[in-house]
Amino acid sequence: MAEKDKTIKKKKEVVPKEVTICEATAQMLEKAKKDGVETAFDRAADMKACPIGADSACCKHCAMGPCRLTSKEPYAKVGVCGADIDTIMARNFGRMVACGTASHTDHGMVMLNLFREVIQGNIDDYEIKDPIKLKSVAESVGIETDNKTTLEIAEELYIELEKTYTQIEGEIPFAKRVPEKTLELWRKQGIVPRGAMREIMEMMHRTHMGVDQQYENLTKQISRTALADGWGGSMVATEISDILFGTPSPVAIEVNMGVLKENKVNIIVHGHEPNLFESMLVSANSPTLIQAAKDAGAEGINLVGMCCSGAEMLVRHGVPHAGNFMSTEAVLVTGAVDALCVDVQCIKQGLSKVAKCYDTPMFTTNPQCHIEGAEHIDFKEHSPLDCADEIVIRAISRYKSRTAKIEIPNIVNTGVHGFSHEYINYMLGGTFRGGYTPLNDNIINGRIRGVAGVVGCTNPRIKQDWVHVELVKELIKNDVLVLQTGCSQIALAKAGLTSPEAACMAGPGLQEVCETVGMPPVLGIGACVDNSRILVAAAEMVKEGGLGDSIADLPVAGTAPEWMSEKAIAIGQYFVASGVYTVFGVTFPIVEETKFHELLFEGLEEQGMGKWGYAVDPYEIARLMIQHIDKKRKELGIDKTRERILVDMADRRELEVA
Ligand code: SF4
Ligand code: MSK
């Protein structure tokens, strides 16, 4: 027995301050340790990532395998069928893109189905909240709107946008928003998406054993599938959600675990589709349920978001946000959560165990996502309040019989979020000069060096939030304006960088622009599907003129420095195929010195698209992005910062005479 004990491997101990810079999360991880509760941080420390999988050098696409290629004799080995390292990596990468694209497009399709049911009068609980956006989206896909009612425009838009999914020939509707030169390149390459279902199906078919075994050909379908996400499913999700629930505009926000209130019924909504959260908002504000909460001894109902549906409600309505992906278990350790309700995507199965430890009821609500250990209450769009009310009632009853010891980190950070591409247009151009001219002008005159999209997840393989925050600080210090989505923006909000006061941390040019406009140097714009807003902003910058003819000409770059999900890979690939240099951190699922690696990291740029980059260190990621921005500025001939010429009265008179 004593002999056996010696062989029991001791679990690696997690030191909270070493795995996160989020103080609230660290405090809760300390408490979890005392309470004997395990989180993803513990499991990550205890489970080394598989090195062969990390290199994407294994294939289990058929029963002649699974085949593992080893790095000995630099990947000279091939699978039983003869598939080489480039084929295997490209197929694995393609399947990641297919899954990420499927996730976003399924989400978008749920929104579109909801839109159809609303306009057909089958659902009363939702309505078109933003008819102006409805009109502009319709016009952007070529629908004539003059002399038509809102309902007529909506019906035509539904028919048009359905093609995003079901069309089998032709180009997806939002291809009309793509700058001409970028679209021409896609046509030449044969990568304009037809419909998302078609592209995902073809991607899966071509990665079956014995089909496409040429990495360059596979890469074309990888791009086509990813573009069906960015300019398809994700864009539909964003635009329809804005039409139904309102287009974001700047709103003061509060983030971090201190948004939980000990004397209120705390309900967390976590997931991605905004319809559940919108209905939870209605229930949480219902006078009857508020009274029920008061009768139970609470001061009220406190609805809080997490992860991406939280980010979406944050930018749209200013609903408080408790934390990003790697804080979802930690927040339950507070003992203060009276109900956790979830829908789809990025919901760790481990949550149900942690919830049980603190007597927090956890509810799944989506028929596509049940979780062992959580109770399922089906959310039905035709009677959404049945589910939402039930969850609130159950939360009130948990409040009444709270047994868990409560410890809420006393940390709340503030900022301003909600910068939709429409608002960026207005903000920089004003009511009478709406447009991207001021942004382009400030890029041309060098006050703004370029624009960066800093997006994506947090990941227990890397110190939570640290790379996001250090990288963004470095970018704004160098006059790079930062746009943010998903969990990344919560990291920056917690660090205080999304408040206008953070302008003092920016370089002199960006600082001047921020102070003039009254905006923060870091703009939070929504959930991970809302990366489509960045694509639209990039297309608008090209359309405005002065910065080249295609997205690939722009001095912009993207990054997901702490990514973890397949959706992130799909997002990265659609940015690359759209023309954006995109740097990922943590790990990259491809081995260097292979033909597939060379294609993604160099070849695609030579073809006129963007390219991938990889670095783990935040300062190195910033350096790579700034280097690329400077390269683009040089190619555009705007690499020398122009001195501002102040026009005096004599000059003005001369101008008038002329
Ligand atoms: Fe092995 Fe080829 Fe089958 Fe993959 S498809 S498991 S490489 S035999
Ligand atoms: S939720 S995909 S952890 S951003 Fe969109 Fe956050 Fe990444 Fe999920």
Side-chain angles (χ1 to χ4, degrees), residues 59-67 79-83 88 91 209:
C59 174
K60 55 183 178 71
H61 292 196
C62 88
M64 292 188 283
C67 301
V80 175
C81 66
I88 288 175
R91 287 197 306 216
M209 186 271 147

Side-chain angles (χ1 to χ4, degrees), residues 461-478:
R461 301 265 174 224
I462 208 128
K463 196 174 193 175
Q464 183 194 7
D465 296 344
W466 182 71
V467 189
H468 289 295
V469 172
E470 290 305 305
L471 159 67
V472 169
K473 278 189 196 162
E474 203 62 21
L475 289 171
I476 63 169
K477 202 167 78 188
N478 284 283

Side-chain angles (χ1 to χ4, degrees), residues 79 304 427 553:
V304 167
M427 173 177 75
D553 295 334

